[in-house]
Amino acid sequence: FSEDHTFDAVLTADRLESVSSGLVRLAFSQTLPETLPEALLAENLSACPDVSLRRCAIGNNRPYAASILTRGAVTVEDCTLYSTYSALVLGGGLISERLGGGMSKACIAGNRFLNCAYNGGYPIRIRGEHSAYSPYPVNHNVLIEKNTFVLPSRCFLSADSVENLVFRENICHVDKSLPTSNGNETTPFTLIGCKNVVTESAVEDEKNHSRAE
């Protein structure tokens, strides 16, 4: 993968040799160009696992409850997530601290986001680089539905470079007694470089909800 997509291709590796702790030599079936750009990313698509989190409680981590980077399918269902910053972080797309080709599919459903992102960020964060040099979405097919958010303000999702994004049938309970900081977000969504997006406003729910301490 290259910044401007000029060298994007799926190649077959015939041989892999570990030259040193920081150097690997690959031999491909296909003929490569004589020169290649700097900062080229090679990713083994066959080695990207599917990841499933079901009925897990994850929290008190700094900064995230769960951070997942894979091109495989991601499923997060019936979990309770709480942390000081974004509770769930997905995606990548050539960001320096999250090198990867983005994700192909994610379903985030029936979870409880409790008392999270009070120190900044959004409960759900999808990372991806979008610029004039990489104008195409790197993340695809994200469904976020039937989750419950218990938060000090209405902030749910930040997404960069996603194609086919759906946010629907979610419930929000605003609890003003929860702690906040100067970094706490107050807008429901921040979307950058996304295509084919459907977002429904989360339904306000005044029922009592248990919250993470």
Side-chain angles (χ1 to χ4, degrees):
F1 303 95
S2 56
E3 282 191 283
D4 62 359
H5 294 262
T6 303
F7 288 88
D8 285 9
V10 177
L11 306 174
T12 301
D14 289 333
R15 189 173 68 257
L16 182 149
E17 177 186 356
S18 180
V19 178
S20 65
S21 60
L23 182 63
V24 174
R25 180 180 292 117
L26 286 173
F28 295 101
S29 299
Q30 298 85 351
T31 301
L32 297 178
E34 292 185 3
T35 59
L36 294 173
E38 294 184 3
L40 195 66
L41 172 66
E43 185 177 24
N44 186 353
L45 300 182
S46 65
C48 295
D50 295 343
V51 176
S52 295
L53 293 180
R54 289 187 170 92
R55 296 180 297 280
C56 298
I58 308 173
N60 292 333
N61 298 343
R62 297 177 183 270
Y64 314 128
S67 180
I68 302 172
L69 173 57
T70 181
R71 187 173 278 274
V74 175
T75 302
V76 182
E77 293 181 339
D78 195 21
C79 292
T80 300
L81 302 174
Y82 49 100
S83 61
T84 65
Y85 204 69
S86 298
L88 180 61
V89 180
L90 305 171
L94 299 180
I95 298 171
S96 58
E97 74 273 21
R98 295 183 66 80
L99 287 178
M103 62 182 179
S104 62
K105 183 179 180 181
C107 177
I108 305 165
N111 303 287
R112 294 158 297 281
F113 294 87
L114 305 181
N115 189 18
C116 59
Y118 59 81
N119 199 33
Y122 285 78
I124 302 173
R125 178 79 170 98
I126 302 173
R127 300 293 303 276
E129 182 176 344
H130 185 86
S131 68
Y133 296 101
S134 55
Y136 307 105
V138 298
N139 301 301
H140 301 84
N141 308 316
V142 178
L143 173 62
I144 303 169
E145 66 175 1
K146 299 178 180 177
N147 301 283
T148 298
F149 297 84
V150 181
L151 305 165
S153 61
R154 289 178 58 83
C155 70
F156 312 116
L157 169 67
S158 175
D160 299 338
S161 195
V162 181
E163 183 174 30
N164 301 327
L165 170 63
V166 177
F167 182 96
R168 68 187 181 194
E169 299 180 38
N170 296 286
I171 295 173
C172 173
H173 176 69
V174 176
D175 187 342
K176 295 295 186 181
S177 69
L178 293 175
T180 60
S181 74
N182 291 332
N184 176 241
E185 300 288 350
T186 57
T187 57
F189 308 104
T190 295
L191 308 177
I192 299 175
C194 296
K195 296 172 59 178
N196 302 332
V197 176
V198 176
T199 56
E200 298 178 358
S201 180
V203 176
E204 294 283 356
D205 183 10
E206 295 303 327
K207 296 179 181 178
N208 292 324
H209 294 276
S210 60
R211 74 188 194 198
E213 297 296 339

Short mmCIF file of all heavy atoms in Angstrom, two decimals, residues 33-91:
data_model
loop_
_atom_site.label_atom_id
_atom_site.label_comp_id
_atom_site.label_asym_id
_atom_site.label_seq_id
_atom_site.Cartn_x
_atom_site.Cartn_y
_atom_site.Cartn_z
N PRO A 33 8.34 -3.17 -9.79
CA PRO A 33 9.03 -2.05 -10.46
C PRO A 33 10.46 -1.93 -9.98
O PRO A 33 10.81 -2.37 -8.88
CB PRO A 33 8.19 -0.82 -10.06
CG PRO A 33 6.87 -1.37 -9.65
CD PRO A 33 7.13 -2.73 -9.07
N GLU A 34 11.30 -1.33 -10.79
CA GLU A 34 12.72 -1.18 -10.43
C GLU A 34 12.89 -0.30 -9.20
O GLU A 34 13.82 -0.50 -8.41
CB GLU A 34 13.50 -0.61 -11.60
CG GLU A 34 13.62 -1.56 -12.79
CD GLU A 34 14.50 -0.99 -13.89
OE1 GLU A 34 15.06 0.10 -13.68
OE2 GLU A 34 14.63 -1.65 -14.93
N THR A 35 12.03 0.69 -9.03
CA THR A 35 12.10 1.57 -7.86
C THR A 35 10.75 1.58 -7.17
O THR A 35 9.70 1.50 -7.80
CB THR A 35 12.48 3.01 -8.25
OG1 THR A 35 11.49 3.52 -9.15
CG2 THR A 35 13.85 3.03 -8.91
N LEU A 36 10.80 1.66 -5.86
CA LEU A 36 9.59 1.72 -5.04
C LEU A 36 9.64 2.96 -4.17
O LEU A 36 10.72 3.40 -3.77
CB LEU A 36 9.47 0.47 -4.16
CG LEU A 36 9.26 -0.86 -4.88
CD1 LEU A 36 9.35 -2.01 -3.89
CD2 LEU A 36 7.91 -0.88 -5.59
N PRO A 37 8.49 3.54 -3.85
CA PRO A 37 8.48 4.75 -3.01
C PRO A 37 8.86 4.42 -1.57
O PRO A 37 8.74 3.28 -1.12
CB PRO A 37 7.03 5.23 -3.10
CG PRO A 37 6.25 3.99 -3.38
CD PRO A 37 7.13 3.14 -4.25
N GLU A 38 9.30 5.44 -0.86
CA GLU A 38 9.56 5.26 0.57
C GLU A 38 8.24 5.12 1.32
O GLU A 38 7.18 5.48 0.83
CB GLU A 38 10.34 6.46 1.11
CG GLU A 38 11.75 6.58 0.55
CD GLU A 38 12.50 7.72 1.18
OE1 GLU A 38 11.93 8.38 2.09
OE2 GLU A 38 13.65 7.97 0.78
N ALA A 39 8.33 4.57 2.52
CA ALA A 39 7.17 4.42 3.41
C ALA A 39 6.08 3.55 2.79
O ALA A 39 4.89 3.76 2.97
CB ALA A 39 6.59 5.78 3.79
N LEU A 40 6.50 2.52 2.04
CA LEU A 40 5.56 1.56 1.47
C LEU A 40 5.18 0.54 2.53
O LEU A 40 6.05 0.05 3.26
CB LEU A 40 6.21 0.87 0.27
CG LEU A 40 5.30 0.10 -0.68
CD1 LEU A 40 4.37 1.05 -1.42
CD2 LEU A 40 6.13 -0.70 -1.68
N LEU A 41 3.91 0.23 2.63
CA LEU A 41 3.43 -0.71 3.65
C LEU A 41 3.08 -2.03 2.98
O LEU A 41 2.29 -2.07 2.03
CB LEU A 41 2.20 -0.16 4.36
CG LEU A 41 1.48 -1.13 5.30
CD1 LEU A 41 2.38 -1.47 6.49
CD2 LEU A 41 0.17 -0.54 5.78
N ALA A 42 3.66 -3.13 3.45
CA ALA A 42 3.32 -4.47 2.99
C ALA A 42 2.57 -5.18 4.11
O ALA A 42 3.03 -5.20 5.26
CB ALA A 42 4.58 -5.25 2.62
N GLU A 43 1.44 -5.77 3.77
CA GLU A 43 0.60 -6.41 4.78
C GLU A 43 0.23 -7.81 4.31
O GLU A 43 -0.14 -8.01 3.15
CB GLU A 43 -0.67 -5.59 5.01
CG GLU A 43 -1.54 -6.13 6.12
CD GLU A 43 -2.75 -5.22 6.35
OE1 GLU A 43 -3.15 -4.50 5.42
OE2 GLU A 43 -3.29 -5.23 7.46
N ASN A 44 0.35 -8.78 5.21
CA ASN A 44 -0.01 -10.16 4.89
C ASN A 44 -1.51 -10.34 5.10
O ASN A 44 -1.97 -10.56 6.21
CB ASN A 44 0.78 -11.13 5.77
CG ASN A 44 0.54 -12.57 5.38
OD1 ASN A 44 -0.30 -12.88 4.55
ND2 ASN A 44 1.30 -13.48 5.99
N LEU A 45 -2.27 -10.25 4.01
CA LEU A 45 -3.73 -10.31 4.12
C LEU A 45 -4.21 -11.67 4.60
O LEU A 45 -5.26 -11.77 5.24
CB LEU A 45 -4.37 -9.96 2.78
CG LEU A 45 -4.05 -8.58 2.21
CD1 LEU A 45 -4.79 -8.35 0.90
CD2 LEU A 45 -4.39 -7.49 3.21
N SER A 46 -3.46 -12.72 4.30
CA SER A 46 -3.89 -14.06 4.71
C SER A 46 -3.68 -14.31 6.20
O SER A 46 -4.17 -15.31 6.74
CB SER A 46 -3.13 -15.12 3.91
OG SER A 46 -1.74 -15.09 4.21
N ALA A 47 -2.94 -13.42 6.86
CA ALA A 47 -2.64 -13.62 8.28
C ALA A 47 -3.45 -12.69 9.18
O ALA A 47 -3.16 -12.56 10.36
CB ALA A 47 -1.16 -13.41 8.53
N CYS A 48 -4.48 -12.03 8.63
CA CYS A 48 -5.30 -11.12 9.43
C CYS A 48 -6.47 -11.89 10.03
O CYS A 48 -7.36 -12.33 9.31
CB CYS A 48 -5.81 -9.97 8.57
SG CYS A 48 -4.51 -8.90 7.93
N PRO A 49 -6.50 -12.06 11.33
CA PRO A 49 -7.55 -12.90 11.94
C PRO A 49 -8.87 -12.15 12.09
O PRO A 49 -8.92 -10.92 12.12
CB PRO A 49 -6.96 -13.22 13.31
CG PRO A 49 -6.16 -11.99 13.65
CD PRO A 49 -5.56 -11.53 12.33
N ASP A 50 -9.96 -12.92 12.18
CA ASP A 50 -11.22 -12.37 12.66
C ASP A 50 -11.12 -12.25 14.17
O ASP A 50 -10.50 -13.09 14.83
CB ASP A 50 -12.39 -13.28 12.28
CG ASP A 50 -12.60 -13.38 10.78
OD1 ASP A 50 -12.08 -12.51 10.05
OD2 ASP A 50 -13.29 -14.32 10.33
N VAL A 51 -11.74 -11.21 14.74
CA VAL A 51 -11.69 -10.99 16.19
C VAL A 51 -13.10 -10.85 16.73
O VAL A 51 -13.90 -10.07 16.19
CB VAL A 51 -10.87 -9.72 16.52
CG1 VAL A 51 -10.90 -9.44 18.02
CG2 VAL A 51 -9.43 -9.87 16.04
N SER A 52 -13.42 -11.60 17.77
CA SER A 52 -14.74 -11.53 18.40
C SER A 52 -14.58 -11.28 19.90
O SER A 52 -13.81 -11.98 20.57
CB SER A 52 -15.52 -12.83 18.19
OG SER A 52 -15.81 -13.03 16.83
N LEU A 53 -15.29 -10.27 20.40
CA LEU A 53 -15.42 -10.04 21.84
C LEU A 53 -16.89 -10.19 22.19
O LEU A 53 -17.73 -9.46 21.66
CB LEU A 53 -14.94 -8.64 22.22
CG LEU A 53 -13.46 -8.30 22.07
CD1 LEU A 53 -13.21 -6.87 22.49
CD2 LEU A 53 -12.61 -9.25 22.88
N ARG A 54 -17.23 -11.14 23.04
CA ARG A 54 -18.61 -11.37 23.44
C ARG A 54 -18.69 -11.57 24.95
O ARG A 54 -17.92 -12.32 25.53
CB ARG A 54 -19.18 -12.60 22.72
CG ARG A 54 -19.42 -12.40 21.23
CD ARG A 54 -20.14 -13.60 20.62
NE ARG A 54 -20.58 -13.34 19.27
CZ ARG A 54 -19.86 -13.61 18.18
NH1 ARG A 54 -18.66 -14.16 18.31
NH2 ARG A 54 -20.32 -13.35 16.96
N ARG A 55 -19.62 -10.86 25.56
CA ARG A 55 -19.90 -10.98 27.00
C ARG A 55 -18.64 -10.75 27.83
O ARG A 55 -18.35 -11.48 28.78
CB ARG A 55 -20.52 -12.35 27.31
CG ARG A 55 -21.88 -12.54 26.66
CD ARG A 55 -22.50 -13.89 26.97
NE ARG A 55 -21.70 -14.98 26.44
CZ ARG A 55 -21.72 -15.38 25.16
NH1 ARG A 55 -22.51 -14.77 24.30
NH2 ARG A 55 -20.98 -16.39 24.76
N CYS A 56 -17.88 -9.71 27.47
CA CYS A 56 -16.69 -9.32 28.21
C CYS A 56 -16.93 -8.00 28.94
O CYS A 56 -17.70 -7.15 28.47
CB CYS A 56 -15.49 -9.16 27.29
SG CYS A 56 -15.00 -10.67 26.42
N ALA A 57 -16.29 -7.83 30.08
CA ALA A 57 -16.27 -6.54 30.78
C ALA A 57 -14.82 -6.07 30.80
O ALA A 57 -13.95 -6.74 31.37
CB ALA A 57 -16.82 -6.68 32.19
N ILE A 58 -14.56 -4.93 30.16
CA ILE A 58 -13.19 -4.43 30.02
C ILE A 58 -13.18 -2.95 30.40
O ILE A 58 -13.95 -2.16 29.86
CB ILE A 58 -12.68 -4.58 28.58
CG1 ILE A 58 -12.86 -6.01 28.07
CG2 ILE A 58 -11.21 -4.18 28.50
CD1 ILE A 58 -12.52 -6.19 26.61
N GLY A 59 -12.32 -2.58 31.32
CA GLY A 59 -12.27 -1.18 31.71
C GLY A 59 -11.11 -0.87 32.63
O GLY A 59 -10.26 -1.71 32.89
N ASN A 60 -11.10 0.38 33.09
CA ASN A 60 -10.02 0.91 33.93
C ASN A 60 -8.67 0.81 33.23
O ASN A 60 -7.63 0.74 33.89
CB ASN A 60 -9.97 0.19 35.28
CG ASN A 60 -11.18 0.50 36.13
OD1 ASN A 60 -11.79 1.56 35.99
ND2 ASN A 60 -11.57 -0.42 37.01
N ASN A 61 -8.69 0.74 31.91
CA ASN A 61 -7.46 0.77 31.12
C ASN A 61 -7.20 2.20 30.67
O ASN A 61 -8.14 2.96 30.43
CB ASN A 61 -7.56 -0.13 29.89
CG ASN A 61 -7.78 -1.59 30.25
OD1 ASN A 61 -7.54 -2.00 31.38
ND2 ASN A 61 -8.23 -2.38 29.30
N ARG A 62 -5.94 2.53 30.49
CA ARG A 62 -5.58 3.86 30.01
C ARG A 62 -4.76 3.71 28.73
O ARG A 62 -3.71 3.09 28.76
CB ARG A 62 -4.79 4.63 31.07
CG ARG A 62 -5.59 4.89 32.34
CD ARG A 62 -4.71 5.60 33.38
NE ARG A 62 -5.43 5.79 34.61
CZ ARG A 62 -6.17 6.87 34.89
NH1 ARG A 62 -6.24 7.85 34.02
NH2 ARG A 62 -6.80 6.97 36.03
N PRO A 63 -5.19 4.26 27.60
CA PRO A 63 -6.39 5.09 27.50
C PRO A 63 -7.63 4.34 27.04
O PRO A 63 -8.73 4.84 27.17
CB PRO A 63 -5.99 6.11 26.44
CG PRO A 63 -5.09 5.33 25.52
CD PRO A 63 -4.34 4.36 26.40
N TYR A 64 -7.50 3.09 26.47
CA TYR A 64 -8.63 2.42 25.85
C TYR A 64 -9.02 1.17 26.63
O TYR A 64 -8.19 0.54 27.28
CB TYR A 64 -8.30 2.01 24.41
CG TYR A 64 -7.63 3.08 23.58
CD1 TYR A 64 -6.44 2.82 22.90
CD2 TYR A 64 -8.18 4.36 23.50
CE1 TYR A 64 -5.82 3.80 22.16
CE2 TYR A 64 -7.55 5.34 22.75
CZ TYR A 64 -6.37 5.06 22.08
OH TYR A 64 -5.75 6.04 21.35
N ALA A 65 -10.29 0.78 26.50
CA ALA A 65 -10.70 -0.51 27.03
C ALA A 65 -10.27 -1.62 26.08
O ALA A 65 -9.70 -2.62 26.50
CB ALA A 65 -12.22 -0.54 27.23
N ALA A 66 -10.52 -1.44 24.77
CA ALA A 66 -10.10 -2.43 23.77
C ALA A 66 -9.65 -1.71 22.51
O ALA A 66 -10.32 -0.78 22.04
CB ALA A 66 -11.25 -3.38 23.46
N SER A 67 -8.52 -2.14 21.97
CA SER A 67 -7.98 -1.56 20.74
C SER A 67 -7.69 -2.70 19.78
O SER A 67 -6.88 -3.58 20.08
CB SER A 67 -6.70 -0.77 21.04
OG SER A 67 -6.16 -0.20 19.86
N ILE A 68 -8.37 -2.72 18.62
CA ILE A 68 -8.30 -3.86 17.70
C ILE A 68 -7.84 -3.36 16.33
O ILE A 68 -8.44 -2.45 15.76
CB ILE A 68 -9.67 -4.56 17.58
CG1 ILE A 68 -10.15 -5.04 18.96
CG2 ILE A 68 -9.60 -5.72 16.60
CD1 ILE A 68 -11.58 -5.55 18.95
N LEU A 69 -6.79 -3.99 15.80
CA LEU A 69 -6.32 -3.68 14.46
C LEU A 69 -6.18 -4.97 13.68
O LEU A 69 -5.28 -5.76 13.93
CB LEU A 69 -4.97 -2.95 14.51
CG LEU A 69 -4.28 -2.71 13.16
CD1 LEU A 69 -5.19 -1.93 12.21
CD2 LEU A 69 -2.96 -1.97 13.35
N THR A 70 -7.11 -5.22 12.77
CA THR A 70 -7.04 -6.37 11.88
C THR A 70 -7.86 -6.07 10.64
O THR A 70 -8.81 -5.29 10.69
CB THR A 70 -7.58 -7.64 12.56
OG1 THR A 70 -7.47 -8.75 11.66
CG2 THR A 70 -9.04 -7.48 12.95
N ARG A 71 -7.49 -6.69 9.53
CA ARG A 71 -8.30 -6.56 8.32
C ARG A 71 -9.43 -7.58 8.31
O ARG A 71 -10.34 -7.52 7.49
CB ARG A 71 -7.42 -6.72 7.07
CG ARG A 71 -8.14 -6.43 5.78
CD ARG A 71 -7.19 -6.44 4.61
NE ARG A 71 -6.49 -5.19 4.49
CZ ARG A 71 -6.96 -4.13 3.83
NH1 ARG A 71 -8.14 -4.16 3.28
NH2 ARG A 71 -6.26 -3.03 3.75
N GLY A 72 -9.40 -8.53 9.22
CA GLY A 72 -10.46 -9.52 9.32
C GLY A 72 -11.74 -8.91 9.89
O GLY A 72 -11.80 -7.73 10.24
N ALA A 73 -12.77 -9.73 10.00
CA ALA A 73 -14.05 -9.28 10.54
C ALA A 73 -13.96 -9.11 12.05
O ALA A 73 -13.38 -9.94 12.76
CB ALA A 73 -15.14 -10.29 10.20
N VAL A 74 -14.54 -8.01 12.55
CA VAL A 74 -14.53 -7.71 13.99
C VAL A 74 -15.96 -7.74 14.51
O VAL A 74 -16.86 -7.11 13.93
CB VAL A 74 -13.91 -6.33 14.26
CG1 VAL A 74 -14.02 -5.97 15.74
CG2 VAL A 74 -12.45 -6.30 13.82
N THR A 75 -16.18 -8.47 15.59
CA THR A 75 -17.49 -8.53 16.24
C THR A 75 -17.32 -8.19 17.72
O THR A 75 -16.53 -8.83 18.42
CB THR A 75 -18.12 -9.93 16.11
OG1 THR A 75 -18.24 -10.26 14.72
CG2 THR A 75 -19.50 -9.95 16.75
N VAL A 76 -18.06 -7.18 18.19
CA VAL A 76 -18.07 -6.83 19.61
C VAL A 76 -19.53 -6.81 20.04
O VAL A 76 -20.29 -5.93 19.63
CB VAL A 76 -17.41 -5.46 19.87
CG1 VAL A 76 -17.40 -5.15 21.36
CG2 VAL A 76 -15.98 -5.44 19.30
N GLU A 77 -19.94 -7.79 20.85
CA GLU A 77 -21.35 -7.95 21.21
C GLU A 77 -21.51 -8.22 22.70
O GLU A 77 -20.72 -8.97 23.30
CB GLU A 77 -21.99 -9.11 20.42
CG GLU A 77 -22.11 -8.87 18.93
CD GLU A 77 -22.77 -10.03 18.20
OE1 GLU A 77 -22.77 -11.15 18.76
OE2 GLU A 77 -23.28 -9.83 17.09
N ASP A 78 -22.53 -7.62 23.29
CA ASP A 78 -22.93 -7.88 24.67
C ASP A 78 -21.77 -7.69 25.64
O ASP A 78 -21.58 -8.46 26.59
CB ASP A 78 -23.50 -9.30 24.78
CG ASP A 78 -24.26 -9.50 26.10
OD1 ASP A 78 -24.67 -8.49 26.72
OD2 ASP A 78 -24.43 -10.66 26.52
N CYS A 79 -20.98 -6.64 25.41
CA CYS A 79 -19.85 -6.34 26.29
C CYS A 79 -20.14 -5.08 27.10
O CYS A 79 -20.95 -4.23 26.71
CB CYS A 79 -18.58 -6.12 25.47
SG CYS A 79 -17.95 -7.61 24.65
N THR A 80 -19.46 -4.95 28.22
CA THR A 80 -19.48 -3.73 29.02
C THR A 80 -18.09 -3.10 28.94
O THR A 80 -17.11 -3.73 29.34
CB THR A 80 -19.84 -4.03 30.48
OG1 THR A 80 -21.14 -4.63 30.53
CG2 THR A 80 -19.86 -2.75 31.30
N LEU A 81 -18.01 -1.88 28.40
CA LEU A 81 -16.73 -1.24 28.15
C LEU A 81 -16.69 0.10 28.87
O LEU A 81 -17.64 0.89 28.79
CB LEU A 81 -16.52 -1.03 26.65
CG LEU A 81 -16.57 -2.31 25.79
CD1 LEU A 81 -16.49 -1.96 24.31
CD2 LEU A 81 -15.45 -3.26 26.15
N TYR A 82 -15.59 0.37 29.58
CA TYR A 82 -15.46 1.63 30.30
C TYR A 82 -13.97 1.95 30.42
O TYR A 82 -13.14 1.09 30.65
CB TYR A 82 -16.11 1.55 31.69
CG TYR A 82 -15.73 0.34 32.50
CD1 TYR A 82 -14.76 0.41 33.49
CD2 TYR A 82 -16.35 -0.89 32.27
CE1 TYR A 82 -14.42 -0.70 34.23
CE2 TYR A 82 -16.01 -2.01 33.01
CZ TYR A 82 -15.03 -1.92 33.99
OH TYR A 82 -14.68 -3.02 34.71
N SER A 83 -13.64 3.20 30.18
CA SER A 83 -12.26 3.65 30.25
C SER A 83 -12.24 5.17 30.30
O SER A 83 -13.26 5.82 30.05
CB SER A 83 -11.46 3.15 29.04
OG SER A 83 -12.02 3.66 27.85
N THR A 84 -11.08 5.74 30.57
CA THR A 84 -10.99 7.19 30.69
C THR A 84 -11.06 7.90 29.35
O THR A 84 -11.43 9.07 29.29
CB THR A 84 -9.69 7.61 31.39
OG1 THR A 84 -8.58 7.24 30.56
CG2 THR A 84 -9.55 6.94 32.74
N TYR A 85 -10.68 7.20 28.28
CA TYR A 85 -10.69 7.79 26.95
C TYR A 85 -11.60 6.94 26.09
O TYR A 85 -12.56 6.35 26.59
CB TYR A 85 -9.25 7.85 26.41
CG TYR A 85 -9.03 8.91 25.35
CD1 TYR A 85 -9.08 10.26 25.68
CD2 TYR A 85 -8.76 8.55 24.04
CE1 TYR A 85 -8.86 11.24 24.72
CE2 TYR A 85 -8.53 9.53 23.07
CZ TYR A 85 -8.59 10.86 23.42
OH TYR A 85 -8.38 11.82 22.45
N SER A 86 -11.39 6.87 24.79
CA SER A 86 -12.25 6.05 23.95
C SER A 86 -12.26 4.60 24.44
O SER A 86 -11.21 4.02 24.72
CB SER A 86 -11.75 6.09 22.51
OG SER A 86 -11.81 7.40 21.99
N ALA A 87 -13.45 4.01 24.52
CA ALA A 87 -13.55 2.64 25.04
C ALA A 87 -13.17 1.61 23.99
O ALA A 87 -12.52 0.61 24.29
CB ALA A 87 -14.97 2.37 25.53
N LEU A 88 -13.55 1.84 22.75
CA LEU A 88 -13.29 0.88 21.67
C LEU A 88 -12.64 1.60 20.50
O LEU A 88 -13.22 2.56 19.96
CB LEU A 88 -14.60 0.22 21.23
CG LEU A 88 -14.52 -0.81 20.11
CD1 LEU A 88 -13.64 -2.00 20.53
CD2 LEU A 88 -15.91 -1.29 19.72
N VAL A 89 -11.45 1.16 20.11
CA VAL A 89 -10.72 1.78 18.99
C VAL A 89 -10.48 0.71 17.93
O VAL A 89 -9.97 -0.38 18.22
CB VAL A 89 -9.37 2.37 19.45
CG1 VAL A 89 -8.64 2.99 18.28
CG2 VAL A 89 -9.62 3.42 20.53
N LEU A 90 -10.86 1.04 16.68
CA LEU A 90 -10.72 0.12 15.56
C LEU A 90 -10.00 0.82 14.42
O LEU A 90 -9.90 2.04 14.38
CB LEU A 90 -12.09 -0.35 15.08
CG LEU A 90 -13.03 -0.99 16.10
CD1 LEU A 90 -14.40 -1.20 15.49
CD2 LEU A 90 -12.47 -2.32 16.58
N GLY A 91 -9.56 0.04 13.42
CA GLY A 91 -9.02 0.60 12.19
C GLY A 91 -7.55 0.93 12.27
O GLY A 91 -6.88 0.68 13.27
#
